Amino acid sequence: MANVTVIGAQWGDEGKGKLVDWLSNRADVVVRFQGGHNAGHTLVVGDQVYKLSLLPSGVVQGKLSVIGNGVVVDPWHLLEEIAKLGSQGVSITPDLLVLADNAALILPLHRDLDQAREAAAVNKIGTTGRGIGPAYEDKVGRRAIRVDDLRDRDALEAKIDRLLAHHKPLRAGLGLPEYDGAQLLAALEEIAPKILPFAQPAWRLLDGVVKSGKRVLFEGAQGALLDVDHGTYPYVTSSNTVAGQAAAGSGLGPKGPGFVLGIVKAYTTRVGEGPFPTELSDEIGQHLGTVGREFGVVTGRPRRCGWFDAVLVRQSVALNGIDGIALTKLDVLDGLPKLKICVGYKLNGEVLDYLPAGLKSQSALEPVYEEMDGWSESTAGATSWKDLPANAVKYVRRVEELIGAPAAMVSTSPQRDDTIMVRDPFQD
């Protein structure tokens, strides 16, 4: 049976957590392959709400869950999240959770640098201040502390010296005090025995899983338009968020990702700064934010809201090789008499059918809209096409046409089972 890769096809916050949780019933293993604890997934199971940042969503289902090498890991946050889920009745043990031994660590000095840079910046990126970007910088700069380094005190001490040699002038330039290497070493030695029981070669585990015929579900974080290469640069995250990263970020290889399911919200939202062609600052934008409960899981920041942007999603379909989409939050559009879909952009008198790479051009785009009739009936809780109003079905079909990908699933509420299944992504 096919593996499945779930990615956000917009700017994140599309409802990936619910869909991954729902698809976990059909998977044997769930894998996170990029990002850090700047991501946030909310799972609603009955009366229980689980908020995850670093842990794969499969843990709630009791599925073997893997944090891959493409993730940067704050070990202190990881333990806090494990403890929090434990208080909700979900026990996380090394039999359930695997941490790639070659994953890079987020350290306190990364948080310091992230926050100081953002505070000093004239044009702020809108980072979460959790150290993700600086941790990726150190990884690429070949000076990161990795999970397996916690096993060797002597090697760890030498690596800390190399790391601090780089950070010392950065901290001085930002007015931060010099970091105490001995303090960092002691902190890592203290946490090592709590983290290392989860650590092993994740690539080896996954190779065995696939060869035994089991199904793997790859869980992306953020969204494709926040990809460090393909997103609205520099207002992006610090990792590759596209589906191709599932291979590199897990070690499974390019054939591993399988069916690519793009999660697409029925409108558009964005957290933080950056271009947003279809953003609405009127009462409709407020309606979408209120009804959709659009607040960041990690930061609590209100999300910017706007009409569905088919140009962006069509670009995501191409960048990710999306086989089908899961359309979420259709119920938030209930009751709106008219709906608009962006089908192109105007820029300097020219109509574009793609998002240009330049920030100046992105910021100057004017959306070209197509208008459709809305519906007054409720779509909340629908589990089949016959439960949907005719205009809601027309809306979904028009979205499919404009983005060039079929709807494999339609989600009609935060509840796990309120989903219309058109095609099982795990089907051969």
Side-chain angles (χ1 to χ4, degrees):
M1 303 296 279
N3 296 333
V4 174
T5 296
V6 173
I7 57 97
Q10 294 158 305
W11 277 297
D13 309 307
E14 301 94 347
K16 294 183 293 298
K18 172 197 166 172
L19 272 301
V20 170
D21 174 55
W22 196 83
L23 287 166
S24 291
N25 283 322
R26 293 166 171 77
D28 298 296
V29 184
V30 181
V31 183
R32 270 285 305 275
F33 58 86
Q34 49 76 219
H37 64 305
N38 55 338
H41 292 167
T42 299
L43 314 182
V44 181
V45 184
D47 295 331
Q48 190 72 267
V49 177
Y50 303 95
K51 294 190 176 183
L52 308 179
S53 296
L54 188 56
L55 290 170
S57 297
V59 296
V60 174
Q61 292 263 13
K63 300 288 182 174
L64 178 61
S65 298
V66 177
I67 298 175
N69 58 275
V71 179
V72 285
V73 180
D74 182 325
W76 294 276
H77 176 87
L78 177 59
L79 292 180
E80 289 173 6
E81 199 167 323
I82 288 171
K84 183 179 179 182
L85 275 190
S87 70
Q88 293 183 278
V90 180
S91 177
I92 309 296
T93 68
D95 291 328
L96 178 66
L97 178 69
V98 170
L99 173 61
D101 58 2
N102 56 340
L105 297 179
I106 300 174
L107 306 172
L109 55 79
H110 294 129
R111 290 197 303 272
D112 294 347
L113 185 58
D114 197 357
Q115 293 169 12
R117 280 176 172 170
E118 188 73 357
V122 176
N123 296 315
K124 300 184 187 301
I125 299 295
T127 78
T128 61
R130 297 190 169 208
I132 280 77
Y136 273 115
E137 290 175 39
D138 282 340
K139 175 181 177 177
V140 175
R142 296 167 293 180
R143 55 183 171 266
I145 306 298
R146 305 204 299 180
V147 172
D148 205 57
D149 294 331
L150 300 178
R151 301 185 193 278
D152 186 342
R153 187 190 188 283
D154 293 338
L156 184 58
E157 192 168 6
K159 290 193 174 190
I160 288 174
D161 288 343
R162 171 176 163 76
L163 181 65
L164 293 185
H166 175 79
H167 278 262
K168 183 177 180 179
L170 292 178
R171 294 177 68 87
L174 289 164
L176 295 172
E178 187 172 337
Y179 207 87
D180 186 336
Q183 180 182 344
L184 178 57
L185 177 62
L188 290 173
E189 285 188 299
E190 189 270 334
I191 203 168
K194 303 173 185 177
I195 292 294
L196 288 174
F198 297 99
Q200 62 171 287
W203 67 267
R204 187 170 180 270
L205 170 79
L206 291 172
D207 182 59
V209 163
V210 170
K211 285 179 177 176
S212 68
K214 294 182 178 178
R215 297 166 164 178
V216 180
L217 179 62
F218 294 94
E219 176 184 15
Q222 289 96 23
L225 274 301
L226 291 176
D227 184 278
V228 69
D229 289 310
H230 301 291
T232 47
Y233 191 89
Y235 296 98
V236 293
T237 193
S238 299
S239 61
N240 286 111
T241 59
V242 292
Q245 177 63 16
S250 67
L252 191 52
K255 295 180 181 178
F259 185 101
V260 179
L261 181 69
I263 314 302
V264 178
K265 196 175 287 186
Y267 47 102
T268 309
T269 64
R270 177 164 199 169
V271 170
E273 306 300 323
F276 187 169
T278 65
E279 183 173 12
L280 297 171
S281 55
D282 57 12
E283 65 277 4
I284 296 177
Q286 294 174 1
H287 170 86
L288 295 174
T290 301
V291 176
R293 300 178 183 177
E294 296 295 354
F295 296 92
V297 176
V298 171
T299 63
R301 290 181 290 183
R303 297 174 186 141
R304 301 153 64 191
C305 298
W307 292 120
F308 185 83
D309 191 331
V311 182
L312 284 182
V313 178
R314 184 169 61 243
Q315 195 157 321
S316 285
V317 168
L319 290 170
N320 292 279
I322 289 173
D323 296 295
I325 66 166
L327 191 68
T328 66
K329 292 200 167 185
L330 185 65
D331 54 303
V332 176
L333 302 180
D334 292 354
L336 293 175
K338 295 290 181 180
L339 303 173
K340 292 183 180 180
I341 299 176
C342 176
V343 296
Y345 303 129
K346 287 182 181 177
L347 179 65
N348 300 325
E350 182 183 0
V351 177
L352 302 181
D353 63 355
Y354 68 97
L355 182 73
L359 179 62
K360 184 176 181 180
S361 295
Q362 290 174 357
S363 301
L365 296 173
E366 296 180 30
V368 177
Y369 285 120
E370 179 179 293
E371 190 171 88
M372 298 183 68
D373 290 331
W375 54 89
S376 58
E377 307 95 321
S378 174
T379 64
T383 56
S384 69
W385 285 114
K386 65 180 178 58
D387 297 330
L388 295 180
N391 283 348
V393 175
K394 289 179 183 178
Y395 184 81
V396 175
R397 294 307 186 202
R398 186 57 180 149
V399 165
E400 291 176 318
E401 292 173 1
L402 290 169
I403 67 174
M409 307 165 72
V410 179
S411 171
T412 56
S413 94
Q415 290 292 337
R416 176 188 286 169
D417 294 327
D418 290 345
T419 303
I420 301 170
M421 171 72 84
V422 182
R423 176 184 173 183
D424 184 347
F426 279 114
Q427 188 176 351
D428 281 327

